Coordinates of all heavy atoms in Angstrom, one line a residue:
Y594 N -2.2 0.2 0.7 CA -3.2 -0.8 0.7 C -3.5 -1.3 -0.7 O -3.3 -0.6 -1.7 CB -4.6 -0.4 1.5 CG -5.1 0.9 1.0 CD1 -6.2 0.9 0.0 CD2 -4.8 2.1 1.6 CE1 -6.8 2.0 -0.3 CE2 -5.4 3.3 1.1 CZ -6.4 3.1 0.2 OH -7.1 4.3 -0.2
D595 N -4.0 -2.5 -0.8 CA -4.3 -3.0 -2.2 C -5.8 -2.7 -2.6 O -6.5 -2.0 -1.9 CB -4.1 -4.5 -2.2 CG -5.0 -5.3 -1.3 OD1 -6.1 -4.8 -0.8 OD2 -4.8 -6.5 -1.1
T596 N -6.1 -3.1 -3.8 CA -7.4 -2.7 -4.3 C -8.5 -3.1 -3.5 O -9.8 -2.7 -3.8 CB -7.7 -3.0 -5.9 OG1 -7.2 -4.5 -5.9 CG2 -6.5 -2.4 -6.8
S597 N -8.5 -4.2 -2.8 CA -9.5 -4.7 -1.9 C -9.6 -3.9 -0.6 O -10.5 -4.3 0.2 CB -9.3 -6.3 -1.6 OG -8.3 -6.4 -0.7
G598 N -8.7 -3.0 -0.3 CA -8.7 -2.3 0.9 C -7.9 -3.0 2.0 O -7.7 -2.3 3.1
L599 N -7.1 -4.0 1.7 CA -6.3 -4.7 2.8 C -5.0 -3.9 2.9 O -4.2 -3.5 1.9 CB -5.9 -6.0 2.2 CG -4.9 -6.8 3.2 CD1 -5.7 -7.1 4.4 CD2 -4.6 -8.1 2.5
V600 N -4.9 -3.5 4.1 CA -3.5 -2.7 4.5 C -2.4 -3.8 4.4 O -2.4 -4.7 5.2 CB -3.7 -2.0 6.0 CG1 -2.3 -1.4 6.3 CG2 -4.7 -1.1 6.0
I601 N -1.3 -3.3 3.7 CA -0.3 -4.4 3.5 C 1.1 -3.8 4.1 O 2.1 -4.5 4.1 CB 0.0 -4.9 2.0 CG1 0.2 -3.5 1.2 CG2 -1.3 -5.5 1.6 CD1 0.5 -3.9 -0.2
A602 N 1.1 -2.7 4.5 CA 2.2 -2.1 5.3 C 1.8 -0.8 6.0 O 0.8 0.0 5.4 CB 3.3 -1.8 4.2
E603 N 2.6 -0.4 7.0 CA 2.5 0.9 7.5 C 3.8 1.4 8.0 O 4.7 0.6 8.2 CB 1.4 1.0 8.7 CG 1.9 0.1 9.9 CD 1.5 -1.4 9.7 OE1 0.7 -1.8 9.0 OE2 2.2 -2.0 10.6
T604 N 4.0 2.7 8.1 CA 5.2 3.4 8.6 C 5.0 4.8 9.1 O 4.0 5.4 8.6 CB 6.3 3.4 7.4 OG1 7.6 3.7 8.0 CG2 6.0 4.5 6.3
L605 N 5.7 5.2 10.0 CA 5.7 6.6 10.5 C 6.2 7.5 9.5 O 7.3 7.3 8.8 CB 6.4 6.7 11.8 CG 6.6 8.1 12.3 CD1 5.2 8.6 12.8 CD2 7.5 8.2 13.6
V606 N 5.5 8.5 9.2 CA 6.0 9.6 8.2 C 6.0 11.0 9.0 O 5.1 11.3 9.7 CB 4.8 9.7 7.1 CG1 5.3 10.9 6.0 CG2 4.8 8.5 6.3
T607 N 7.2 11.6 8.7 CA 7.3 13.0 9.2 C 7.7 13.8 8.1 O 8.0 13.5 6.9 CB 8.4 12.9 10.4 OG1 9.7 12.8 9.6 CG2 8.1 11.9 11.5
P608 N 7.8 15.2 8.3 CA 8.2 16.1 7.2 C 9.6 15.7 6.7 O 9.9 16.1 5.6 CB 8.2 17.5 7.9 CG 7.0 17.3 8.9 CD 7.3 15.9 9.4
Q609 N 10.4 15.0 7.5 CA 11.7 14.6 7.0 C 11.7 13.4 6.4 O 12.9 12.8 6.0 CB 12.8 14.7 8.3 CG 12.8 16.0 8.9 CD 11.7 16.5 9.7 OE1 11.1 15.7 10.4 NE2 11.5 17.8 9.9
S610 N 10.7 12.7 6.3 CA 10.6 11.3 5.7 C 10.5 11.3 4.2 O 9.5 10.9 3.7 CB 9.5 10.6 6.3 OG 9.5 10.4 7.7
Q611 N 11.6 11.8 3.5 CA 11.6 11.8 2.1 C 12.9 11.2 1.7 O 13.8 11.7 2.0 CB 11.3 13.3 1.5 CG 10.0 13.9 2.0 CD 8.8 13.1 1.3 OE1 8.8 12.6 0.3 NE2 7.7 13.0 2.2
P612 N 12.8 10.2 0.8 CA 11.6 9.3 0.3 C 11.2 8.5 1.5 O 11.8 8.2 2.3 CB 12.2 8.6 -0.9 CG 13.5 8.4 -0.6 CD 14.0 9.6 0.1
V613 N 9.8 8.0 1.3 CA 9.2 7.1 2.3 C 9.5 5.6 1.9 O 9.2 5.3 0.7 CB 7.8 7.3 2.3 CG1 7.2 6.4 3.3 CG2 7.4 8.8 2.9
N614 N 10.3 5.0 2.7 CA 10.5 3.5 2.5 C 9.7 2.8 3.5 O 9.7 3.1 4.7 CB 11.9 3.2 2.5 CG 12.7 3.9 1.4 OD1 12.4 3.7 0.3 ND2 13.7 4.7 1.8
L615 N 9.2 1.5 3.1 CA 8.7 0.6 4.1 C 8.7 -0.7 3.7 O 9.1 -1.1 2.5 CB 7.1 1.1 4.2 CG 6.2 1.1 2.9 CD1 5.7 -0.3 2.6 CD2 5.2 2.2 3.1
I616 N 8.5 -1.7 4.6 CA 8.6 -3.2 4.4 C 7.1 -3.5 4.4 O 6.3 -3.3 5.4 CB 9.4 -3.7 5.6 CG1 10.8 -3.2 5.5 CG2 9.4 -5.3 5.4 CD1 11.6 -3.7 6.7
L617 N 6.8 -4.3 3.4 CA 5.4 -5.0 3.2 C 5.2 -6.1 4.5 O 6.1 -6.9 4.7 CB 5.2 -5.7 2.0 CG 5.4 -4.7 0.8 CD1 5.3 -5.5 -0.5 CD2 4.4 -3.5 0.8
D618 N 4.0 -6.0 4.8 CA 3.6 -7.1 5.9 C 3.7 -8.5 5.4 O 3.9 -9.4 6.0 CB 2.2 -6.8 6.5 CG 2.2 -5.4 7.3 OD1 3.2 -4.9 7.8 OD2 1.0 -5.0 7.5
R619 N 3.3 -8.6 4.1 CA 3.5 -10.0 3.3 C 3.9 -9.6 1.9 O 3.7 -8.5 1.3 CB 2.1 -10.6 3.3 CG 1.0 -9.6 2.5 CD -0.4 -10.5 2.4 NE -1.4 -9.7 2.0 CZ -1.5 -9.3 0.6 NH1 -0.7 -9.8 -0.2 NH2 -2.4 -8.5 0.1
P620 N 4.7 -10.6 1.4 CA 5.2 -10.3 0.0 C 4.1 -10.4 -1.1 O 3.2 -11.1 -0.8 CB 6.2 -11.5 -0.2 CG 5.8 -12.6 0.7 CD 5.1 -11.8 2.0
L621 N 4.2 -9.5 -2.1 CA 3.4 -9.5 -3.2 C 3.8 -10.5 -4.3 O 5.1 -10.3 -4.6 CB 3.1 -8.1 -3.7 CG 2.4 -7.2 -2.7 CD1 2.4 -5.7 -3.3 CD2 1.1 -7.6 -2.2
T622 N 3.0 -11.2 -4.8 CA 3.5 -12.2 -5.9 C 3.1 -11.8 -7.3 O 3.7 -12.4 -8.2 CB 2.8 -13.6 -5.6 OG1 1.4 -13.4 -5.5 CG2 3.3 -14.2 -4.3
Q623 N 2.4 -10.7 -7.3 CA 2.0 -10.2 -8.7 C 1.9 -8.6 -8.7 O 1.8 -8.1 -7.7 CB 0.7 -10.8 -9.1 CG -0.4 -10.4 -8.4 CD -1.8 -11.1 -8.8 OE1 -1.9 -11.6 -9.9 NE2 -2.7 -10.9 -8.1
S624 N 2.3 -8.0 -9.9 CA 2.3 -6.8 -10.0 C 0.8 -6.1 -9.9 O -0.1 -6.9 -10.3 CB 2.8 -6.2 -11.4 OG 4.2 -6.7 -11.5
Q625 N 0.6 -5.0 -9.3 CA -0.7 -4.6 -9.0 C -0.7 -2.9 -8.7 O 0.3 -2.4 -8.4 CB -1.3 -5.3 -7.9 CG -0.7 -5.3 -6.7 CD -1.2 -6.2 -5.7 OE1 -2.4 -6.0 -5.1 NE2 -0.5 -7.4 -5.5
D626 N -2.0 -2.5 -8.8 CA -2.2 -1.1 -8.3 C -2.2 -1.1 -6.8 O -3.0 -2.0 -6.4 CB -3.4 -0.5 -9.1 CG -3.3 -0.3 -10.5 OD1 -2.2 0.3 -11.0 OD2 -4.3 -0.4 -11.3
L627 N -1.7 -0.1 -6.2 CA -1.7 0.0 -4.8 C -2.0 1.5 -4.4 O -1.9 2.4 -5.4 CB -0.4 -0.3 -4.1 CG 0.0 -1.8 -4.2 CD1 1.4 -2.0 -3.7 CD2 -1.1 -2.8 -3.7
Q628 N -2.3 1.8 -3.2 CA -2.5 3.3 -2.8 C -1.9 3.4 -1.4 O -1.8 2.6 -0.7 CB -4.0 3.5 -2.6 CG -4.9 3.6 -3.9 CD -6.0 4.2 -3.7 OE1 -6.4 5.0 -2.9 NE2 -7.0 3.8 -4.6
A629 N -1.2 4.7 -1.2 CA -0.7 5.0 0.0 C -1.6 6.2 0.6 O -1.9 7.0 -0.2 CB 0.8 5.5 -0.2
A630 N -1.9 6.1 1.8 CA -2.8 7.0 2.4 C -2.2 7.5 3.7 O -1.4 6.8 4.4 CB -4.2 6.4 2.7
L631 N -2.5 8.7 4.1 CA -2.0 9.3 5.3 C -3.1 9.3 6.4 O -4.2 9.7 6.2 CB -1.5 10.8 5.1 CG -0.4 11.0 4.2 CD1 -0.1 12.4 4.0 CD2 0.9 10.2 4.8
Y632 N -2.6 8.8 7.5 CA -3.6 8.9 8.7 C -2.8 9.5 9.9 O -1.6 9.3 10.0 CB -3.9 7.5 9.1 CG -4.9 6.8 8.4 CD1 -4.6 6.4 7.0 CD2 -6.3 6.6 8.8 CE1 -5.7 5.7 6.2 CE2 -7.3 6.1 8.0 CZ -7.0 5.6 6.7 OH -7.9 5.1 5.9
L633 N -3.6 10.2 10.8 CA -3.1 10.8 11.9 C -3.2 10.1 13.0 O -4.1 9.4 13.4 CB -3.9 12.1 12.2 CG -3.3 13.0 13.5 CD1 -1.9 13.5 13.1 CD2 -4.4 14.1 13.5
D634 N -1.9 9.6 13.8 CA -2.0 8.7 14.8 C -2.8 9.2 16.0 O -2.8 10.5 16.3 CB -0.6 8.4 15.2 CG -0.4 7.5 16.2 OD1 -0.8 6.3 16.1 OD2 0.1 7.8 17.5
N635 N -3.5 8.4 16.7 CA -4.2 8.9 17.9 C -3.3 9.1 19.1 O -3.9 9.4 20.1 CB -5.4 7.8 18.2 CG -4.8 6.4 18.6 OD1 -3.6 6.3 18.8 ND2 -5.8 5.6 18.9
G636 N -2.0 8.9 19.0 CA -1.1 9.3 20.1 C -0.5 8.0 20.7 O 0.4 8.1 21.6
D637 N -0.9 6.7 20.2 CA -0.2 5.6 20.9 C 0.9 5.0 20.2 O 1.5 4.2 20.5 CB -1.4 4.5 21.0 CG -1.9 4.0 19.8 OD1 -1.6 4.4 18.7 OD2 -2.9 3.0 19.8
G638 N 1.1 5.6 18.9 CA 2.3 5.3 18.2 C 2.2 3.9 17.3 O 3.0 3.4 16.8
I639 N 1.0 3.4 17.3 CA 0.6 2.2 16.5 C -0.6 2.5 15.6 O -1.6 3.1 15.9 CB 0.0 1.1 17.6 CG1 1.2 0.8 18.6 CG2 -0.4 -0.2 16.9 CD1 0.5 -0.1 19.7
F640 N -0.3 2.0 14.4 CA -1.2 2.3 13.2 C -2.5 1.3 13.4 O -2.4 0.2 13.6 CB -0.7 2.1 12.0 CG -1.7 2.4 10.9 CD1 -2.4 3.5 10.6 CD2 -2.2 1.3 10.0 CE1 -3.4 3.7 9.6 CE2 -3.3 1.3 9.1 CZ -3.8 2.6 8.9
E641 N -3.6 1.8 13.6 CA -4.8 1.2 13.9 C -5.9 1.9 12.9 O -6.4 3.0 13.2 CB -5.4 1.1 15.2 CG -4.3 0.5 16.2 CD -4.6 0.6 17.6 OE1 -4.4 1.8 18.2 OE2 -5.1 -0.4 18.2
L642 N -6.3 1.1 11.8 CA -7.1 1.8 10.9 C -8.5 2.2 11.5 O -8.9 3.3 11.1 CB -7.3 0.7 9.8 CG -8.2 1.1 8.6 CD1 -7.4 2.3 7.9 CD2 -8.3 0.0 7.6
D643 N -9.0 1.6 12.4 CA -10.2 1.9 12.9 C -10.2 3.0 14.1 O -11.2 3.7 14.5 CB -11.0 0.7 13.5 CG -10.2 -0.1 14.5 OD1 -9.0 0.0 14.5 OD2 -10.8 -0.8 15.4
L644 N -9.0 3.2 14.6 CA -8.7 4.2 15.7 C -8.1 5.5 15.3 O -8.3 6.5 15.8 CB -8.1 3.6 16.8 CG -8.7 2.5 17.6 CD1 -7.8 1.9 18.6 CD2 -10.1 2.8 18.0
D645 N -7.2 5.4 14.2 CA -6.5 6.6 13.7 C -7.4 7.3 12.8 O -8.2 6.7 12.1 CB -5.2 6.2 13.1 CG -4.1 5.6 14.2 OD1 -4.4 5.9 15.4 OD2 -3.3 4.8 13.9
L646 N -7.2 8.6 12.6 CA -7.9 9.5 11.9 C -7.3 9.6 10.5 O -6.2 10.0 10.3 CB -8.2 10.9 12.4 CG -9.0 10.9 13.8 CD1 -9.0 12.3 14.3 CD2 -10.3 10.4 13.7
P647 N -8.1 9.6 9.5 CA -7.6 9.8 8.0 C -7.4 11.2 7.9 O -8.0 12.1 8.4 CB -8.8 9.4 7.1 CG -9.9 9.3 7.9 CD -9.6 9.1 9.4
L648 N -6.2 11.5 7.2 CA -5.9 12.9 6.9 C -6.6 13.3 5.7 O -6.5 12.6 4.6 CB -4.3 13.0 6.7 CG -3.7 14.6 6.5 CD1 -4.1 15.3 7.8 CD2 -2.3 14.5 6.3
L649 N -7.4 14.3 5.8 CA -8.2 14.9 4.7 C -7.7 16.2 4.2 O -7.2 17.0 4.8 CB -9.8 15.1 5.2 CG -10.3 14.0 5.8 CD1 -11.7 14.4 6.3 CD2 -10.4 12.8 4.8
G650 N -7.8 16.3 2.7 CA -7.3 17.4 1.9 C -8.3 18.6 2.0 O -9.3 18.4 2.6
E651 N -8.0 19.5 1.2 CA -8.8 20.8 1.2 C -10.4 20.5 0.7 O -11.3 21.2 1.1 CB -8.2 21.7 0.2 CG -6.9 22.3 0.8 CD -6.4 23.4 -0.2 OE1 -7.0 23.7 -1.2 OE2 -5.2 23.8 0.1
E652 N -10.5 19.5 -0.1 CA -11.9 19.0 -0.6 C -12.6 18.1 0.3 O -13.5 17.5 0.0 CB -11.8 18.6 -2.0 CG -11.3 19.6 -3.0 CD -11.0 19.1 -4.3 OE1 -11.4 18.0 -4.7 OE2 -10.6 19.9 -5.2
G653 N -11.8 17.7 1.5 CA -12.5 16.8 2.4 C -12.2 15.3 1.9 O -12.9 14.4 2.5
K654 N -11.3 15.1 1.0 CA -11.1 13.8 0.6 C -9.8 13.3 1.1 O -8.9 14.0 1.5 CB -11.0 13.6 -0.9 CG -12.3 14.0 -1.5 CD -12.2 13.9 -3.2 CE -13.5 14.2 -3.8 NZ -13.5 14.1 -5.1
L655 N -9.7 11.9 1.3 CA -8.5 11.3 1.9 C -7.3 11.6 1.1 O -7.3 11.5 -0.1 CB -8.7 9.7 1.8 CG -7.5 8.9 2.4 CD1 -7.3 9.1 3.9 CD2 -7.9 7.3 2.2
V656 N -6.2 12.0 1.8 CA -4.9 12.3 1.2 C -4.3 10.9 1.0 O -4.0 10.1 1.6 CB -4.0 13.1 2.2 CG1 -2.6 13.2 1.5 CG2 -4.7 14.5 2.4
H657 N -4.2 10.7 -0.5 CA -3.7 9.4 -0.8 C -2.8 9.6 -2.1 O -3.0 10.5 -2.9 CB -4.7 8.4 -1.0 CG -5.6 8.5 -2.1 ND1 -6.5 9.5 -2.1 CD2 -5.5 7.9 -3.3 CE1 -7.1 9.4 -3.4 NE2 -6.6 8.4 -4.1
E658 N -2.2 8.5 -2.5 CA -1.3 8.5 -3.8 C -1.5 7.1 -4.4 O -1.3 6.1 -3.7 CB 0.2 8.8 -3.4 CG 1.0 8.7 -4.8 CD 0.7 10.0 -5.6 OE1 0.4 11.0 -5.2 OE2 0.9 9.8 -6.9
D659 N -2.1 7.0 -5.6 CA -2.0 5.7 -6.3 C -0.7 5.4 -7.0 O -0.1 6.3 -7.4 CB -3.2 5.8 -7.5 CG -4.5 6.1 -6.9 OD1 -4.8 5.8 -5.8 OD2 -5.2 6.8 -7.6
F660 N -0.4 4.2 -7.0 CA 0.9 3.9 -7.8 C 0.9 2.4 -8.1 O 0.0 1.6 -7.7 CB 2.1 4.1 -7.0 CG 2.2 3.3 -5.6 CD1 3.0 2.2 -5.5 CD2 1.6 3.8 -4.4 CE1 3.0 1.4 -4.4 CE2 1.6 3.1 -3.3 CZ 2.3 1.9 -3.2
Y661 N 1.8 2.1 -9.1 CA 1.7 0.7 -9.7 C 3.0 0.1 -9.0 O 4.0 0.5 -9.1 CB 1.9 0.7 -11.1 CG 1.8 -0.6 -11.6 CD1 0.6 -1.3 -11.7 CD2 2.9 -1.2 -12.3 CE1 0.3 -2.6 -12.3 CE2 2.8 -2.6 -12.7 CZ 1.5 -3.2 -12.8 OH 1.4 -4.5 -13.4
Y662 N 2.7 -1.1 -8.5 CA 3.8 -2.0 -7.7 C 4.1 -3.0 -8.7 O 3.3 -3.8 -9.1 CB 3.4 -2.5 -6.4 CG 4.4 -3.3 -5.8 CD1 5.3 -2.7 -4.8 CD2 4.5 -4.7 -5.9 CE1 6.3 -3.5 -4.1 CE2 5.5 -5.4 -5.2 CZ 6.4 -4.7 -4.3 OH 7.3 -5.5 -3.7
R663 N 5.4 -3.1 -9.3 CA 5.7 -4.1 -10.2 C 6.6 -5.2 -9.6 O 7.6 -4.9 -9.0 CB 6.4 -3.5 -11.5 CG 6.7 -4.5 -12.5 CD 7.1 -4.0 -13.8 NE 8.2 -2.8 -13.6 CZ 9.1 -2.6 -14.4 NH1 9.2 -3.3 -15.6 NH2 9.8 -1.5 -14.2
V664 N 6.3 -6.4 -9.7 CA 7.1 -7.6 -9.3 C 7.9 -8.0 -10.4 O 7.4 -8.2 -11.4 CB 6.1 -8.7 -8.9 CG1 7.0 -9.9 -8.3 CG2 5.3 -8.3 -7.7
T665 N 9.3 -8.1 -10.1 CA 10.1 -8.5 -11.1 C 10.9 -9.9 -10.7 O 11.0 -10.1 -9.5 CB 11.1 -7.5 -11.6 OG1 11.9 -7.2 -10.4 CG2 10.4 -6.3 -12.1
N666 N 11.3 -10.6 -11.6 CA 12.1 -11.8 -11.3 C 13.5 -11.7 -11.4 O 14.0 -11.1 -12.2 CB 11.7 -13.1 -12.2 CG 10.1 -13.4 -11.9 OD1 9.7 -13.0 -10.8 ND2 9.4 -13.9 -12.9

């Protein structure tokens, strides 16, 4: 998701999913900071931010990774 919290892509991740590749829901036109977060599917196989549970780490915080997405020409 981007810095505004907008989800821009989702993909199924399993222990065998390394590295994780995904296709963005919409193209990004400028370089920016993004975050990847893990959610536990509610069993329907569809990512739904309001229905799926966020995966929390040992400190009770969302498991996520910040990264910089660079657009090149």
Side-chain angles (χ1 to χ4, degrees):
Y594 54 92
D595 65 13
T596 55
S597 72
L599 178 67
V600 175
I601 58 174
E603 67 275 339
T604 192
L605 174 65
V606 177
T607 68
Q609 295 78 29
S610 301
Q611 297 298 321
V613 175
N614 295 304
L615 53 89
I616 298 172
L617 299 178
D618 293 340
R619 61 177 174 79
L621 297 177
T622 58
Q623 61 183 349
S624 299
Q625 58 189 286
D626 291 316
L627 298 175
Q628 290 192 26
L631 294 177
Y632 281 76
L633 182 62
D634 184 61
N635 66 1
D637 65 3
I639 300 168
F640 176 68
E641 297 168 290
L642 188 60
D643 56 337
L644 298 177
D645 295 331
L646 296 174
L648 187 61
L649 303 178
E651 293 178 7
E652 297 178 0
K654 295 183 180 181
L655 178 65
V656 174
H657 73 283
E658 181 70 30
D659 300 332
F660 62 98
Y661 187 71
Y662 183 89
R663 184 168 42 144
V664 175
T665 59
N666 294 332

